């Protein structure tokens, strides 16, 4: 298979930041898309609202913690892109069990449903599973370090997905995005947090630690990595880093965002935003060699270009944010 055109695909977590971008890309490529969205009684569909009433995307409401509902959603699909997860690191300190239930048990439900349906699985990991880099750039062989309840739950989810490859020969690929950013991202992440404050006219930008470095990947590049992984037989049973191979400190990133927004704001460290001692991940820098060699994927959008596009989107959607309020 070298195309997803005409194939039936399911995206879990489809209404979110990366999920909705992936749905758009799949629709553009001619896939028959089913979207599993978290059930809400008011039927709001987030970034998928434009597809309500259309024939391009079939909406299925549910929860990955419910094995029966997951099984119904996966039935008849050729490929499942599993993105549904609890992702906020600060909230994982407050509600760790919720992360186990959604991220680990939810992944088990999705993998079991894929096995029953004969569907291949592209499972979403995170660079947070590596913890602070012991060696850099980070390859897929880097030790896994659970420095937060969130990262621990994602390590468990990754291993659960891969166990279905080893035990049952389910076609599974684990994609491990490094810090994805871009339009539609919520203020729980650092880039929209900074931009929303800037575009609201703040004279000070309040942040946690300024020294950690991150490898930021634009959201369309990440979504393209998901597609490349799904289309590559060589990627079955493998873990693939999706990152640019470049890093930037949070303090320097803030300065670039201030410039992109045309602001003169100053950066102030806010103690309430600091992670607990021993939990801060000081450095994340990807080695994407494996993804390039097995799938042909490579990032295309530069950080400068991506920050400008993201800044413009936040400015145009400022009413979706609460500038100045720290969102756990």
């Amino acid at each position: 298979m070298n195309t997803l055109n005409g194939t039936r695909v399911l995206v879990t977590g489809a209404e979110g930041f990366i999920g909705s971008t992936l749905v758009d890309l799949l629709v553009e490529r001619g896939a028959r898309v089913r979207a599993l969205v978290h059930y809400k009684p008011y039927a709001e569909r987030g970034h998928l609202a434009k597809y309500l009433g259309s024939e391009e995307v079939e909406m299925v409401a549910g929860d990955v913690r419910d094995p029966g509902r997951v099984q119904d959603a996966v039935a008849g699909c050729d490929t499942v892109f599993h993105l549904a997860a609890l992702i906020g690191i600060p909230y994982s300190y407050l509600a760790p069990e919720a992360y186990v239930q959604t991220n680990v048990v939810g992944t088990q439900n999705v993998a079991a449903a894929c096995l029953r349906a004969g569907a291949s699985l592209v499972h979403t990991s995170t660079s947070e599973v590596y913890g602070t880099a012991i060696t850099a750039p980070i390859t897929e062989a880097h030790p896994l370090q659970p420095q937060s309840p969130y990262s621990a739950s994602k390590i468990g989810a990754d291993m659960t997905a891969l166990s279905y490859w080893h035990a049952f020969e389910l076609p599974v690929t684990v994609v491990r995005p490094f810090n994805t950013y871009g339009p539609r991202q919520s203020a729980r992440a650092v880039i929209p947090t900074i931009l929303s404050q800037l575009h609201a006219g703040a004279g000070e930008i309040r942040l946690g630690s300024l020294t950690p470095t991150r490898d930021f990947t634009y959201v369309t590049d990440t979504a393209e990595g998901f597609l490349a992984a799904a289309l590559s037989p060589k990627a079955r049973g493998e873990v693939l880093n999706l990152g640019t191979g470049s890093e930037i400190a949070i303090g320097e990133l803030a300065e670039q965002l201030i410039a992109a927004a045309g602001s003169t704001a100053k950066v102030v460290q806010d103690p309430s935003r600091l992670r607990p001692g021993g939990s801060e991940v000081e450095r994340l820098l990807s080695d994407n060699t494996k993804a390039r060699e097995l799938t042909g994927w490579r990032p295309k959008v530069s950080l400068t270009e991506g920050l400008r596009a993201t800044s413009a989107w936040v400015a145009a959607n400022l009413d979706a944010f609460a500038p100045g309020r720290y969102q756990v």
Side-chain angles (χ1 to χ4, degrees):
M1 179 179 69
N2 56 15
T3 178
L4 291 170
N5 183 42
T7 62
R8 168 65 75 180
V9 303
L10 172 70
V11 180
T12 74
E15 62 191 323
F17 164 47
I18 300 176
S20 63
T21 303
L22 178 60
V23 167
D24 287 345
L25 193 56
L26 287 164
V27 169
E28 291 174 10
R29 303 292 168 84
R32 300 164 58 206
V33 181
R34 181 180 294 160
L36 179 62
V37 298
H38 193 259
Y39 170 75
K40 293 181 287 292
Y42 43 89
E44 201 274 334
R45 291 292 176 260
H47 300 303
L48 296 184
K50 65 183 178 181
Y51 293 113
L52 286 172
S54 77
E55 296 183 355
E56 294 178 297
V57 177
E58 177 190 357
M59 303 279 191
V60 176
D63 190 314
V64 292
R65 294 173 296 179
D66 183 337
R69 195 59 178 151
V70 170
Q71 185 174 308
D72 291 342
V74 172
C77 291
D78 304 299
T79 302
V80 174
F81 296 92
H82 177 42
L83 288 82
L86 276 175
I87 56 176
I89 295 169
Y91 186 59
S92 77
Y93 304 132
L94 306 176
E97 185 174 348
Y99 283 71
V100 172
Q101 291 299 318
T102 298
N103 297 350
V104 182
V105 176
T107 297
Q108 152 65 26
N109 292 338
V110 171
C114 287
L115 185 63
R116 177 172 295 205
S120 62
L121 174 61
V122 178
H123 167 73
T124 311
S125 180
T126 169
S127 57
E128 285 285 330
V129 302
Y130 293 126
T132 298
I134 297 172
T135 58
I138 296 171
T139 71
E140 292 82 357
H142 187 283
L144 304 181
Q145 304 180 94
Q147 289 182 226
S148 67
Y150 165 66
S151 63
S153 73
K154 291 300 289 183
I155 291 170
D158 294 356
M159 297 304 105
T160 297
L162 288 170
S163 76
Y164 271 74
W165 163 258
H166 293 294
F168 309 116
E169 298 184 345
L170 176 71
V172 173
T173 303
V174 174
V175 292
R176 192 163 281 161
F178 279 62
N179 293 71
T180 301
Y181 73 100
R184 303 180 185 176
Q185 190 170 29
S186 73
R188 60 154 196 87
V190 65
I191 288 176
T193 289
I194 295 172
L195 287 172
S196 62
Q197 292 178 65
L198 291 171
H199 288 298
E204 292 184 345
I205 301 303
R206 307 185 70 80
L207 298 172
S209 182
L210 306 179
T211 56
T213 66
R214 295 292 185 266
D215 183 335
F216 288 99
T217 310
Y218 195 64
V219 63
T220 53
D221 283 335
T222 297
E224 290 281 4
F226 277 80
L227 297 192
L231 293 170
S232 174
K234 295 179 181 178
R236 303 294 181 261
E238 300 290 347
V239 177
L240 304 177
N241 285 341
L242 300 182
T244 67
S246 298
E247 64 185 326
I248 184 171
I250 298 302
E252 183 182 348
L253 173 71
E255 296 297 337
Q256 289 200 22
L257 288 167
I258 289 169
S263 172
T264 58
K266 303 299 181 184
V267 176
V268 176
Q269 192 168 66
D270 181 352
S272 71
R273 300 173 186 237
L274 295 172
R275 295 191 191 184
S279 189
E280 180 63 77
V281 175
E282 293 293 341
R283 188 182 189 193
L284 288 175
L285 172 63
S286 75
D287 182 332
N288 62 21
T289 302
K290 191 174 177 183
R292 287 187 286 107
E293 291 181 348
L294 296 185
T295 74
W297 173 85
R298 63 183 63 244
K300 299 175 182 177
V301 181
S302 70
L303 183 62
T304 299
E305 180 185 357
L307 293 182
R308 287 174 181 167
T310 307
S311 177
W313 183 86
V314 170
N317 294 274
L318 196 58
D319 58 348
F321 296 89
R325 186 179 73 196
Y326 180 39
Q327 295 188 221
V328 174

